[in-house]
Amino acid sequence: MPHSPEEKKRVQARIRRIKGQADALERALDAGADCGAVLQQIAAIRGAVNGLMSEVLEAHIREEFGQAATSAEQRDARVAELASLVRSYLK
């Protein structure tokens, strides 16, 4: 998770935008909007979530790999964790 106040502000702003987009999608569905408009809104939400994931992942990489590992085991554990995160991100 981003730890600096600026990073937290940016992430929280992204989350608020995603909430707004999800609320708009719900209203569109309730109003019986056309499928095309609904699909566009879903794609926008997916893009916003991907942007959030990218930002948090980047902060995590900087945090984990910004300092030297104290042992080969620690380095291997960090790499394994990062590989797992990237795999889940790409699903």
Side-chain angles (χ1 to χ4, degrees):
M1 182 65 195
H3 295 287
S4 76
E6 299 83 27
E7 287 179 328
K8 277 187 176 182
K9 263 183 147 173
R10 250 192 339 265
V11 167
Q12 289 171 337
R14 280 183 180 268
I15 291 169
R16 282 191 293 278
R17 282 193 300 273
I18 292 167
K19 282 181 185 178
Q21 289 174 313
D23 290 343
L25 175 61
E26 184 176 20
R27 287 190 302 273
L29 290 171
D30 288 343
D34 291 334
C35 289
V38 169
L39 289 169
Q40 271 187 316
Q41 189 65 34
I42 292 169
I45 292 169
R46 181 179 57 190
V49 169
N50 284 342
L52 173 64
M53 179 69 171
S54 176
E55 190 164 336
V56 173
L57 183 59
E58 183 179 333
H60 180 68
I61 290 168
R62 268 196 248 102
E63 184 179 305
E64 285 296 313
F65 292 95
Q67 53 190 331
T70 57
S71 67
E73 291 84 19
Q74 184 187 34
R75 185 194 69 235
D76 292 345
R78 288 167 147 181
V79 169
E81 179 193 8
L82 181 59
S84 175
L85 287 170
V86 170
R87 271 194 302 277
S88 68
Y89 176 66
L90 293 175
K91 283 186 177 180

